[in-house]
Amino acid sequence: MASSAPAGTRTGWKPTDKWLLGIVLAVINFWLFAQTLLNVIPGIQGELGVERTMANLAVSITSLFSGIFIVVAGGLADRLGRVKIMYAGIYLSILGSLLIALTPENLGGLTSAMLLGGRIVQGLSAACIMPSTMALVKAYYEGKDRQRALSFWSIGSWGGSGFCALFGGLMATSFLGWRSIFWISIILSVLALFLLKGTPESRAERDPATANQPFDWSGLIFFIVMLVAINVYISQGPNIGWLSWTGLALVAVFIVAGLVFLQIETRKRNAFVNLKLFGNGTFTGATLSNFLLNGAAGTLIVSLGLVQIAAGMSSLQSGLLTLGYLVAILATIRVGEKLLQRFGPKKPMLWGSMITGVGILMCSLTFLHIGEYIVLTVIGFTLFGVGLGFYATPSTDAALSNVPDAQVGAASGIYKMASSLGNAIGVAISAALYVAGQAVDPELIQSWGLFIGRQDNVALRFGGAIGLLFNVLMVVIAIASIILTVPSERKREEAARRPDEVAPPPIGN
């Protein structure tokens, strides 16, 4: 728990609306600007002169590094100071955006290095900003003021993620060009630093039992090796060959690093990831479904990329298809909160997942004429947003209200790590299947008689269908995990009577 009382009672400093605006600007640096590449990358891939698999890796690697380091950054924020880590995150955001904005065209390794380097730095930035800003909001507000501040924090994350495709498309097709996205990000980062100037430092109370124990660097190293190996294998599989020696070596590295990681984490007292939390079925189910539904972000890169290539849409036109997603997710987050209060977490989590699945399934119908497909994707993305809005708050409540109060911080870190890693791995697999599906013989696809209209792009549309249906599968598994693990409201009320279980306030994306 934070040692800092609300600032007005401890230092005389009180947060203002301008300060809260600075927090929101810091948060949207990832959710709005960094995530625009989901929609922009199909249009700039050729301009930069990078292969499609490299472009797909550039999209997913930001969420990957955010997910890997979010628990580390949260721990460092508690120890070293949340303001220090927040400032570090904003400076990293400026550096990452600068690297991408200055990425040269058609210079081979240098182009790839600057693009990937900038995306990695953006991921590290998000890992620093998200837990530190959340902790500062909780430390310097209380009561209804805290609920209001958390709502603005959530709007910065969910609203940014909903607006990123449309904003990215708008800027990329304007006279300013796609690089302006990252110059604007730098400007708003500088503004955030100005608005946040003078924030008093906040740290967490140290647990005497673990205060003098060193950080679990060995666990972190093997965790990084494990996830980077599998992400590179997934994203680069079409190029290096799924069963090539290089591909098999990456799989072997993933398996060995994963086994060593499990050995380390089950034996260490100060484990990087507290695996004991997964002994709680409700936490496991909520975290797994959160991982899978965030993985469904692969729907965006496949569907928007498909209409840009197959139908000749610009990034702005394709981004407009997601307008319903933006409106729906902002409109239904509070609805999900009300459903949680009325029915408990299980029903709205299931309803939200089912609605999301139907929306993605509608986006998977790539065998139709383009006009029909556009109508279905508009409806599908809107349902996607409605489903996530229903799911978000009940899922967070289910994950965190069933763990002891002393473990809420660790549980929050793992839950949010699942969000970022799910996004990274889901995007990587969806994009890889999209590319791999295009290698199927077009004559074989035509022989099935399913794809109507143009036949010169059936392989492209088939690859899109495979990539999108994978996202439907992830939602189905998420639904199964909720059914099997999250208790009904009656059982939840019984568990809530236990003295060691405390429900924290819901958090955002």
Side-chain angles (χ1 to χ4, degrees):
M1 296 178 64
S3 60
S4 305
T9 64
R10 189 175 67 86
T11 66
W13 182 87
K14 293 183 180 180
T16 64
D17 285 346
K18 289 183 178 179
W19 182 85
L20 184 58
L21 175 60
I23 291 288
V24 173
L25 291 179
V27 169
I28 66 172
N29 274 318
F30 173 71
W31 297 106
L32 175 57
F33 297 104
Q35 293 293 74
T36 56
L37 238 61
L38 281 166
N39 184 30
V40 172
I41 198 67
I44 68 173
Q45 172 196 331
E47 176 185 330
L48 290 175
V50 296
E51 295 182 352
R52 185 178 302 176
T53 52
M54 181 61 67
N56 291 337
L57 178 61
V59 172
S60 66
I61 203 166
T62 298
S63 292
L64 178 69
F65 273 76
S66 170
I68 288 172
F69 287 100
I70 193 169
V71 174
V72 179
L76 290 175
D78 287 342
R79 292 186 182 188
L80 303 179
R82 289 141 180 174
V83 177
K84 287 187 179 70
I85 298 301
M86 176 184 68
Y87 284 157
I90 297 174
Y91 284 122
L92 286 171
S93 177
I94 292 173
L95 175 60
S97 294
L98 186 64
L99 285 171
I100 297 172
L102 296 177
T103 298
E105 300 175 6
N106 297 301
L107 289 183
L110 179 60
T111 298
S112 298
M114 288 190 66
L115 179 62
L116 291 179
R119 296 292 288 169
I120 289 171
V121 172
Q122 285 185 320
L124 295 174
S125 165
C128 291
I129 289 172
M130 286 193 284
S132 60
T133 53
M134 175 64 70
L136 287 170
V137 166
K138 288 184 177 180
Y140 290 133
Y141 289 96
E142 62 181 354
K144 291 184 178 179
D145 289 337
R146 178 184 291 178
Q147 294 176 352
R148 173 178 174 270
L150 287 174
S151 294
F152 278 100
W153 193 99
S154 295
I155 288 172
S157 59
W158 286 109
S161 64
F163 191 53
C164 66
L166 181 58
F167 172 77
L170 176 65
M171 299 310 300
T173 55
S174 73
F175 71 94
L176 295 172
W178 67 270
R179 296 177 192 270
S180 64
I181 296 168
F182 302 100
W183 291 117
I184 294 172
S185 176
I186 292 171
I187 293 170
L188 292 187
S189 293
V190 173
L191 178 59
L193 288 171
F194 173 76
L195 294 173
L196 295 168
K197 186 178 180 181
T199 306
E201 191 56 273
S202 167
R203 295 180 177 87
E205 292 179 353
R206 299 293 298 275
D207 183 355
T210 59
N212 297 321
Q213 293 191 12
F215 181 76
D216 180 19
W217 291 109
S218 58
L220 173 62
I221 290 170
F222 281 100
F223 189 68
I224 295 172
V225 172
M226 174 182 70
L227 289 177
V228 170
I230 195 61
N231 198 266
V232 171
Y233 174 75
I234 292 169
S235 61
Q236 299 299 304
N239 269 359
I240 63 178
W242 301 106
L243 298 178
S244 67
W245 286 110
T246 302
L248 294 176
L250 286 169
V251 173
V253 169
F254 166 73
I255 294 172
V256 172
L259 292 174
V260 174
F261 171 75
L262 290 174
Q263 286 291 319
I264 293 171
E265 300 306 280
T266 53
R267 294 179 180 179
K268 280 200 173 184
R269 186 175 181 180
N270 63 326
F272 164 59
V273 176
N274 185 0
L275 297 178
K276 292 180 181 179
L277 286 169
F278 291 99
N280 183 310
T282 303
F283 173 79
T284 300
T287 303
L288 176 60
S289 61
N290 178 48
F291 173 87
L292 292 165
L293 287 183
N294 273 276
T299 302
L300 288 166
I301 191 172
V302 175
S303 184
L304 299 184
L306 180 66
V307 295
Q308 288 182 43
I309 299 173
M313 282 188 170
S314 67
S315 53
L316 173 59
Q317 291 171 325
S318 64
L320 286 171
L321 301 181
T322 68
L323 184 60
Y325 172 86
L326 167 64
V327 174
I329 200 167
L330 291 178
T332 55
I333 284 179
R334 296 301 302 273
V335 176
E337 179 184 334
K338 301 298 182 184
L339 290 174
L340 168 65
Q341 296 168 356
R342 174 73 182 275
F343 299 105
K346 185 168 187 174
K347 287 183 178 179
M349 286 174 69
L350 284 173
W351 295 337
S353 299
M354 291 174 182
I355 294 170
T356 296
V358 171
I360 298 173
L361 184 61
M362 295 179 74
C363 294
S364 304
L365 304 180
T366 63
F367 60 86
L368 298 172
H369 289 114
I370 186 60
E372 298 167 347
Y373 182 72
I374 289 173
V375 171
L376 288 177
T377 53
V378 170
I379 299 172
F381 277 123
T382 303
L383 292 176
F384 196 169
V386 170
L388 290 183
F390 281 12
Y391 170 88
T393 300
S395 170
T396 305
D397 181 83
L400 303 185
S401 64
N402 283 274
V403 298
D405 188 46
Q407 296 179 320
V408 165
S412 299
I414 293 173
Y415 182 81
K416 293 175 74 61
M417 180 173 67
S419 301
S420 292
L421 292 182
N423 184 289
I425 294 174
V427 167
I429 295 177
S430 299
L433 291 174
Y434 176 38
V435 174
Q438 296 174 44
V440 177
D441 184 0
E443 293 185 1
L444 175 62
I445 300 172
Q446 291 173 3
S447 69
W448 299 334
L450 295 175
F451 288 80
I452 60 178
R454 287 175 53 188
Q455 296 296 298
D456 59 330
N457 61 7
V458 290
L460 180 70
R461 291 196 281 161
F462 176 73
I466 297 300
L468 290 164
L469 288 172
F470 170 75
N471 289 272
V472 176
L473 175 62
M474 286 196 294
V475 175
V476 171
I477 298 173
I479 292 171
S481 71
I482 295 168
I483 292 173
L484 294 173
T485 61
V486 180
S488 63
E489 178 61 11
R490 181 178 62 82
K491 293 181 179 178
R492 173 180 163 82
E493 289 175 352
E494 293 174 356
R497 298 190 187 100
R498 300 171 190 169
D500 62 336
E501 295 184 19
V502 180
I507 61 176
N509 194 7

PDB file of all heavy atoms in Angstrom, residues 360-389:
ATOM      1  N   ILE A 360     -16.215 -10.000 -33.953  1.00  0.00           N
ATOM      2  CA  ILE A 360     -15.037 -10.455 -34.697  1.00  0.00           C
ATOM      3  C   ILE A 360     -15.438 -11.442 -35.792  1.00  0.00           C
ATOM      4  O   ILE A 360     -14.870 -11.427 -36.896  1.00  0.00           O
ATOM      5  CB  ILE A 360     -14.011 -11.090 -33.742  1.00  0.00           C
ATOM      6  CG1 ILE A 360     -13.524 -10.061 -32.730  1.00  0.00           C
ATOM      7  CG2 ILE A 360     -12.819 -11.648 -34.524  1.00  0.00           C
ATOM      8  CD1 ILE A 360     -12.633 -10.626 -31.652  1.00  0.00           C
ATOM      9  N   LEU A 361     -16.415 -12.290 -35.503  1.00  0.00           N
ATOM     10  CA  LEU A 361     -16.886 -13.239 -36.510  1.00  0.00           C
ATOM     11  C   LEU A 361     -17.441 -12.508 -37.734  1.00  0.00           C
ATOM     12  O   LEU A 361     -17.209 -12.931 -38.880  1.00  0.00           O
ATOM     13  CB  LEU A 361     -17.960 -14.150 -35.908  1.00  0.00           C
ATOM     14  CG  LEU A 361     -18.502 -15.264 -36.806  1.00  0.00           C
ATOM     15  CD1 LEU A 361     -17.375 -16.224 -37.199  1.00  0.00           C
ATOM     16  CD2 LEU A 361     -19.622 -16.031 -36.111  1.00  0.00           C
ATOM     17  N   MET A 362     -18.128 -11.414 -37.509  1.00  0.00           N
ATOM     18  CA  MET A 362     -18.642 -10.625 -38.631  1.00  0.00           C
ATOM     19  C   MET A 362     -17.492 -10.046 -39.457  1.00  0.00           C
ATOM     20  O   MET A 362     -17.588  -9.965 -40.688  1.00  0.00           O
ATOM     21  CB  MET A 362     -19.546  -9.507 -38.112  1.00  0.00           C
ATOM     22  CG  MET A 362     -20.822 -10.010 -37.444  1.00  0.00           C
ATOM     23  SD  MET A 362     -21.879  -8.682 -36.811  1.00  0.00           S
ATOM     24  CE  MET A 362     -22.562  -8.033 -38.325  1.00  0.00           C
ATOM     25  N   CYS A 363     -16.414  -9.665 -38.794  1.00  0.00           N
ATOM     26  CA  CYS A 363     -15.244  -9.155 -39.519  1.00  0.00           C
ATOM     27  C   CYS A 363     -14.509 -10.256 -40.271  1.00  0.00           C
ATOM     28  O   CYS A 363     -13.666  -9.964 -41.131  1.00  0.00           O
ATOM     29  CB  CYS A 363     -14.275  -8.480 -38.552  1.00  0.00           C
ATOM     30  SG  CYS A 363     -14.897  -6.971 -37.777  1.00  0.00           S
ATOM     31  N   SER A 364     -14.806 -11.520 -39.956  1.00  0.00           N
ATOM     32  CA  SER A 364     -14.106 -12.654 -40.568  1.00  0.00           C
ATOM     33  C   SER A 364     -14.713 -13.082 -41.897  1.00  0.00           C
ATOM     34  O   SER A 364     -14.145 -13.940 -42.580  1.00  0.00           O
ATOM     35  CB  SER A 364     -14.128 -13.861 -39.605  1.00  0.00           C
ATOM     36  OG  SER A 364     -13.584 -13.527 -38.350  1.00  0.00           O
ATOM     37  N   LEU A 365     -15.832 -12.500 -42.284  1.00  0.00           N
ATOM     38  CA  LEU A 365     -16.545 -12.942 -43.485  1.00  0.00           C
ATOM     39  C   LEU A 365     -15.942 -12.306 -44.729  1.00  0.00           C
ATOM     40  O   LEU A 365     -16.598 -11.561 -45.470  1.00  0.00           O
ATOM     41  CB  LEU A 365     -18.036 -12.620 -43.349  1.00  0.00           C
ATOM     42  CG  LEU A 365     -18.715 -13.216 -42.105  1.00  0.00           C
ATOM     43  CD1 LEU A 365     -20.201 -12.840 -42.071  1.00  0.00           C
ATOM     44  CD2 LEU A 365     -18.545 -14.732 -42.059  1.00  0.00           C
ATOM     45  N   THR A 366     -14.710 -12.631 -45.001  1.00  0.00           N
ATOM     46  CA  THR A 366     -13.972 -11.998 -46.097  1.00  0.00           C
ATOM     47  C   THR A 366     -14.327 -12.561 -47.465  1.00  0.00           C
ATOM     48  O   THR A 366     -13.804 -12.086 -48.475  1.00  0.00           O
ATOM     49  CB  THR A 366     -12.457 -12.165 -45.879  1.00  0.00           C
ATOM     50  OG1 THR A 366     -12.126 -13.560 -45.896  1.00  0.00           O
ATOM     51  CG2 THR A 366     -12.030 -11.568 -44.553  1.00  0.00           C
ATOM     52  N   PHE A 367     -15.190 -13.559 -47.520  1.00  0.00           N
ATOM     53  CA  PHE A 367     -15.554 -14.156 -48.812  1.00  0.00           C
ATOM     54  C   PHE A 367     -16.620 -13.340 -49.534  1.00  0.00           C
ATOM     55  O   PHE A 367     -16.955 -13.626 -50.687  1.00  0.00           O
ATOM     56  CB  PHE A 367     -16.057 -15.596 -48.605  1.00  0.00           C
ATOM     57  CG  PHE A 367     -17.268 -15.713 -47.727  1.00  0.00           C
ATOM     58  CD1 PHE A 367     -18.538 -15.582 -48.268  1.00  0.00           C
ATOM     59  CD2 PHE A 367     -17.133 -15.947 -46.368  1.00  0.00           C
ATOM     60  CE1 PHE A 367     -19.655 -15.686 -47.457  1.00  0.00           C
ATOM     61  CE2 PHE A 367     -18.244 -16.052 -45.552  1.00  0.00           C
ATOM     62  CZ  PHE A 367     -19.510 -15.917 -46.098  1.00  0.00           C
ATOM     63  N   LEU A 368     -17.147 -12.294 -48.879  1.00  0.00           N
ATOM     64  CA  LEU A 368     -18.230 -11.502 -49.455  1.00  0.00           C
ATOM     65  C   LEU A 368     -17.712 -10.399 -50.370  1.00  0.00           C
ATOM     66  O   LEU A 368     -16.502 -10.131 -50.436  1.00  0.00           O
ATOM     67  CB  LEU A 368     -19.051 -10.872 -48.323  1.00  0.00           C
ATOM     68  CG  LEU A 368     -19.747 -11.861 -47.371  1.00  0.00           C
ATOM     69  CD1 LEU A 368     -20.354 -11.100 -46.207  1.00  0.00           C
ATOM     70  CD2 LEU A 368     -20.800 -12.677 -48.098  1.00  0.00           C
ATOM     71  N   HIS A 369     -18.648  -9.735 -51.093  1.00  0.00           N
ATOM     72  CA  HIS A 369     -18.285  -8.541 -51.850  1.00  0.00           C
ATOM     73  C   HIS A 369     -17.819  -7.453 -50.888  1.00  0.00           C
ATOM     74  O   HIS A 369     -18.235  -7.408 -49.723  1.00  0.00           O
ATOM     75  CB  HIS A 369     -19.486  -8.027 -52.655  1.00  0.00           C
ATOM     76  CG  HIS A 369     -19.853  -8.902 -53.812  1.00  0.00           C
ATOM     77  ND1 HIS A 369     -21.040  -9.592 -53.891  1.00  0.00           N
ATOM     78  CD2 HIS A 369     -19.176  -9.201 -54.945  1.00  0.00           C
ATOM     79  CE1 HIS A 369     -21.094 -10.281 -55.019  1.00  0.00           C
ATOM     80  NE2 HIS A 369     -19.962 -10.053 -55.687  1.00  0.00           N
ATOM     81  N   ILE A 370     -16.981  -6.536 -51.377  1.00  0.00           N
ATOM     82  CA  ILE A 370     -16.379  -5.528 -50.514  1.00  0.00           C
ATOM     83  C   ILE A 370     -17.427  -4.629 -49.862  1.00  0.00           C
ATOM     84  O   ILE A 370     -17.310  -4.267 -48.681  1.00  0.00           O
ATOM     85  CB  ILE A 370     -15.342  -4.677 -51.299  1.00  0.00           C
ATOM     86  CG1 ILE A 370     -14.615  -3.718 -50.338  1.00  0.00           C
ATOM     87  CG2 ILE A 370     -16.011  -3.928 -52.428  1.00  0.00           C
ATOM     88  CD1 ILE A 370     -13.858  -4.394 -49.230  1.00  0.00           C
ATOM     89  N   GLY A 371     -18.485  -4.268 -50.591  1.00  0.00           N
ATOM     90  CA  GLY A 371     -19.523  -3.419 -50.006  1.00  0.00           C
ATOM     91  C   GLY A 371     -20.208  -4.088 -48.829  1.00  0.00           C
ATOM     92  O   GLY A 371     -20.440  -3.461 -47.790  1.00  0.00           O
ATOM     93  N   GLU A 372     -20.513  -5.370 -49.001  1.00  0.00           N
ATOM     94  CA  GLU A 372     -21.142  -6.120 -47.914  1.00  0.00           C
ATOM     95  C   GLU A 372     -20.174  -6.268 -46.737  1.00  0.00           C
ATOM     96  O   GLU A 372     -20.577  -6.154 -45.570  1.00  0.00           O
ATOM     97  CB  GLU A 372     -21.564  -7.500 -48.420  1.00  0.00           C
ATOM     98  CG  GLU A 372     -22.605  -7.440 -49.529  1.00  0.00           C
ATOM     99  CD  GLU A 372     -22.769  -8.785 -50.234  1.00  0.00           C
ATOM    100  OE1 GLU A 372     -21.910  -9.670 -50.027  1.00  0.00           O
ATOM    101  OE2 GLU A 372     -23.741  -8.939 -50.991  1.00  0.00           O
ATOM    102  N   TYR A 373     -18.902  -6.498 -47.053  1.00  0.00           N
ATOM    103  CA  TYR A 373     -17.913  -6.687 -45.992  1.00  0.00           C
ATOM    104  C   TYR A 373     -17.723  -5.402 -45.183  1.00  0.00           C
ATOM    105  O   TYR A 373     -17.601  -5.448 -43.953  1.00  0.00           O
ATOM    106  CB  TYR A 373     -16.575  -7.123 -46.590  1.00  0.00           C
ATOM    107  CG  TYR A 373     -15.516  -7.379 -45.542  1.00  0.00           C
ATOM    108  CD1 TYR A 373     -15.586  -8.499 -44.718  1.00  0.00           C
ATOM    109  CD2 TYR A 373     -14.458  -6.480 -45.354  1.00  0.00           C
ATOM    110  CE1 TYR A 373     -14.627  -8.718 -43.729  1.00  0.00           C
ATOM    111  CE2 TYR A 373     -13.502  -6.699 -44.376  1.00  0.00           C
ATOM    112  CZ  TYR A 373     -13.586  -7.817 -43.574  1.00  0.00           C
ATOM    113  OH  TYR A 373     -12.652  -8.030 -42.592  1.00  0.00           O
ATOM    114  N   ILE A 374     -17.722  -4.265 -45.842  1.00  0.00           N
ATOM    115  CA  ILE A 374     -17.557  -2.992 -45.130  1.00  0.00           C
ATOM    116  C   ILE A 374     -18.698  -2.776 -44.147  1.00  0.00           C
ATOM    117  O   ILE A 374     -18.483  -2.373 -42.989  1.00  0.00           O
ATOM    118  CB  ILE A 374     -17.467  -1.828 -46.130  1.00  0.00           C
ATOM    119  CG1 ILE A 374     -16.127  -1.875 -46.876  1.00  0.00           C
ATOM    120  CG2 ILE A 374     -17.645  -0.487 -45.430  1.00  0.00           C
ATOM    121  CD1 ILE A 374     -16.005  -0.869 -47.989  1.00  0.00           C
ATOM    122  N   VAL A 375     -19.925  -3.060 -44.568  1.00  0.00           N
ATOM    123  CA  VAL A 375     -21.079  -2.906 -43.671  1.00  0.00           C
ATOM    124  C   VAL A 375     -20.924  -3.818 -42.457  1.00  0.00           C
ATOM    125  O   VAL A 375     -21.150  -3.405 -41.306  1.00  0.00           O
ATOM    126  CB  VAL A 375     -22.394  -3.220 -44.418  1.00  0.00           C
ATOM    127  CG1 VAL A 375     -23.569  -3.268 -43.442  1.00  0.00           C
ATOM    128  CG2 VAL A 375     -22.653  -2.184 -45.497  1.00  0.00           C
ATOM    129  N   LEU A 376     -20.530  -5.058 -42.712  1.00  0.00           N
ATOM    130  CA  LEU A 376     -20.369  -6.009 -41.613  1.00  0.00           C
ATOM    131  C   LEU A 376     -19.241  -5.608 -40.658  1.00  0.00           C
ATOM    132  O   LEU A 376     -19.356  -5.799 -39.439  1.00  0.00           O
ATOM    133  CB  LEU A 376     -20.107  -7.411 -42.163  1.00  0.00           C
ATOM    134  CG  LEU A 376     -21.307  -8.109 -42.811  1.00  0.00           C
ATOM    135  CD1 LEU A 376     -20.899  -9.457 -43.377  1.00  0.00           C
ATOM    136  CD2 LEU A 376     -22.432  -8.298 -41.794  1.00  0.00           C
ATOM    137  N   THR A 377     -18.143  -5.060 -41.193  1.00  0.00           N
ATOM    138  CA  THR A 377     -17.048  -4.664 -40.302  1.00  0.00           C
ATOM    139  C   THR A 377     -17.434  -3.467 -39.436  1.00  0.00           C
ATOM    140  O   THR A 377     -17.027  -3.390 -38.270  1.00  0.00           O
ATOM    141  CB  THR A 377     -15.774  -4.325 -41.094  1.00  0.00           C
ATOM    142  OG1 THR A 377     -16.072  -3.347 -42.100  1.00  0.00           O
ATOM    143  CG2 THR A 377     -15.190  -5.561 -41.744  1.00  0.00           C
ATOM    144  N   VAL A 378     -18.197  -2.543 -39.986  1.00  0.00           N
ATOM    145  CA  VAL A 378     -18.662  -1.409 -39.174  1.00  0.00           C
ATOM    146  C   VAL A 378     -19.500  -1.920 -37.993  1.00  0.00           C
ATOM    147  O   VAL A 378     -19.297  -1.516 -36.843  1.00  0.00           O
ATOM    148  CB  VAL A 378     -19.481  -0.422 -40.025  1.00  0.00           C
ATOM    149  CG1 VAL A 378     -20.166   0.616 -39.133  1.00  0.00           C
ATOM    150  CG2 VAL A 378     -18.591   0.276 -41.047  1.00  0.00           C
ATOM    151  N   ILE A 379     -20.424  -2.833 -38.293  1.00  0.00           N
ATOM    152  CA  ILE A 379     -21.251  -3.420 -37.226  1.00  0.00           C
ATOM    153  C   ILE A 379     -20.376  -4.261 -36.293  1.00  0.00           C
ATOM    154  O   ILE A 379     -20.511  -4.204 -35.067  1.00  0.00           O
ATOM    155  CB  ILE A 379     -22.372  -4.287 -37.827  1.00  0.00           C
ATOM    156  CG1 ILE A 379     -23.293  -3.436 -38.700  1.00  0.00           C
ATOM    157  CG2 ILE A 379     -23.176  -4.977 -36.722  1.00  0.00           C
ATOM    158  CD1 ILE A 379     -24.307  -4.244 -39.493  1.00  0.00           C
ATOM    159  N   GLY A 380     -19.457  -5.027 -36.892  1.00  0.00           N
ATOM    160  CA  GLY A 380     -18.603  -5.913 -36.101  1.00  0.00           C
ATOM    161  C   GLY A 380     -17.711  -5.153 -35.138  1.00  0.00           C
ATOM    162  O   GLY A 380     -17.593  -5.524 -33.963  1.00  0.00           O
ATOM    163  N   PHE A 381     -17.072  -4.075 -35.598  1.00  0.00           N
ATOM    164  CA  PHE A 381     -16.208  -3.297 -34.709  1.00  0.00           C
ATOM    165  C   PHE A 381     -17.017  -2.612 -33.609  1.00  0.00           C
ATOM    166  O   PHE A 381     -16.544  -2.453 -32.479  1.00  0.00           O
ATOM    167  CB  PHE A 381     -15.414  -2.255 -35.504  1.00  0.00           C
ATOM    168  CG  PHE A 381     -14.180  -2.805 -36.147  1.00  0.00           C
ATOM    169  CD1 PHE A 381     -13.977  -2.720 -37.518  1.00  0.00           C
ATOM    170  CD2 PHE A 381     -13.202  -3.416 -35.379  1.00  0.00           C
ATOM    171  CE1 PHE A 381     -12.833  -3.220 -38.110  1.00  0.00           C
ATOM    172  CE2 PHE A 381     -12.045  -3.926 -35.963  1.00  0.00           C
ATOM    173  CZ  PHE A 381     -11.866  -3.840 -37.332  1.00  0.00           C
ATOM    174  N   THR A 382     -18.244  -2.207 -33.930  1.00  0.00           N
ATOM    175  CA  THR A 382     -19.105  -1.611 -32.904  1.00  0.00           C
ATOM    176  C   THR A 382     -19.427  -2.636 -31.818  1.00  0.00           C
ATOM    177  O   THR A 382     -19.357  -2.335 -30.616  1.00  0.00           O
ATOM    178  CB  THR A 382     -20.391  -1.071 -33.531  1.00  0.00           C
ATOM    179  OG1 THR A 382     -20.072  -0.114 -34.551  1.00  0.00           O
ATOM    180  CG2 THR A 382     -21.276  -0.414 -32.479  1.00  0.00           C
ATOM    181  N   LEU A 383     -19.768  -3.854 -32.233  1.00  0.00           N
ATOM    182  CA  LEU A 383     -20.032  -4.916 -31.261  1.00  0.00           C
ATOM    183  C   LEU A 383     -18.775  -5.247 -30.460  1.00  0.00           C
ATOM    184  O   LEU A 383     -18.844  -5.546 -29.263  1.00  0.00           O
ATOM    185  CB  LEU A 383     -20.548  -6.164 -31.980  1.00  0.00           C
ATOM    186  CG  LEU A 383     -21.937  -6.053 -32.606  1.00  0.00           C
ATOM    187  CD1 LEU A 383     -22.276  -7.334 -33.365  1.00  0.00           C
ATOM    188  CD2 LEU A 383     -22.991  -5.799 -31.527  1.00  0.00           C
ATOM    189  N   PHE A 384     -17.635  -5.219 -31.118  1.00  0.00           N
ATOM    190  CA  PHE A 384     -16.348  -5.434 -30.453  1.00  0.00           C
ATOM    191  C   PHE A 384     -16.201  -4.447 -29.287  1.00  0.00           C
ATOM    192  O   PHE A 384     -15.843  -4.811 -28.158  1.00  0.00           O
ATOM    193  CB  PHE A 384     -15.232  -5.231 -31.482  1.00  0.00           C
ATOM    194  CG  PHE A 384     -13.879  -5.764 -31.082  1.00  0.00           C
ATOM    195  CD1 PHE A 384     -12.859  -5.843 -32.028  1.00  0.00           C
ATOM    196  CD2 PHE A 384     -13.592  -6.165 -29.794  1.00  0.00           C
ATOM    197  CE1 PHE A 384     -11.598  -6.323 -31.694  1.00  0.00           C
ATOM    198  CE2 PHE A 384     -12.333  -6.646 -29.438  1.00  0.00           C
ATOM    199  CZ  PHE A 384     -11.336  -6.720 -30.380  1.00  0.00           C
ATOM    200  N   GLY A 385     -16.480  -3.169 -29.554  1.00  0.00           N
ATOM    201  CA  GLY A 385     -16.375  -2.151 -28.521  1.00  0.00           C
ATOM    202  C   GLY A 385     -17.388  -2.334 -27.409  1.00  0.00           C
ATOM    203  O   GLY A 385     -17.070  -2.164 -26.226  1.00  0.00           O
ATOM    204  N   VAL A 386     -18.626  -2.687 -27.769  1.00  0.00           N
ATOM    205  CA  VAL A 386     -19.654  -2.933 -26.753  1.00  0.00           C
ATOM    206  C   VAL A 386     -19.234  -4.079 -25.842  1.00  0.00           C
ATOM    207  O   VAL A 386     -19.331  -4.001 -24.605  1.00  0.00           O
ATOM    208  CB  VAL A 386     -21.010  -3.257 -27.424  1.00  0.00           C
ATOM    209  CG1 VAL A 386     -22.019  -3.746 -26.381  1.00  0.00           C
ATOM    210  CG2 VAL A 386     -21.554  -2.039 -28.153  1.00  0.00           C
ATOM    211  N   GLY A 387     -18.736  -5.153 -26.447  1.00  0.00           N
ATOM    212  CA  GLY A 387     -18.331  -6.318 -25.666  1.00  0.00           C
ATOM    213  C   GLY A 387     -17.209  -6.010 -24.702  1.00  0.00           C
ATOM    214  O   GLY A 387     -17.253  -6.393 -23.527  1.00  0.00           O
ATOM    215  N   LEU A 388     -16.184  -5.287 -25.165  1.00  0.00           N
ATOM    216  CA  LEU A 388     -15.067  -4.943 -24.287  1.00  0.00           C
ATOM    217  C   LEU A 388     -15.509  -3.995 -23.179  1.00  0.00           C
ATOM    218  O   LEU A 388     -15.025  -4.075 -22.046  1.00  0.00           O
ATOM    219  CB  LEU A 388     -13.935  -4.320 -25.095  1.00  0.00           C
ATOM    220  CG  LEU A 388     -13.167  -5.256 -26.033  1.00  0.00           C
ATOM    221  CD1 LEU A 388     -12.026  -4.502 -26.697  1.00  0.00           C
ATOM    222  CD2 LEU A 388     -12.628  -6.469 -25.294  1.00  0.00           C
ATOM    223  N   GLY A 389     -16.445  -3.084 -23.490  1.00  0.00           N
ATOM    224  CA  GLY A 389     -16.968  -2.185 -22.470  1.00  0.00           C
ATOM    225  C   GLY A 389     -17.694  -2.937 -21.371  1.00  0.00           C
ATOM    226  O   GLY A 389     -17.540  -2.625 -20.177  1.00  0.00           O
TER     227      GLY A 389
END
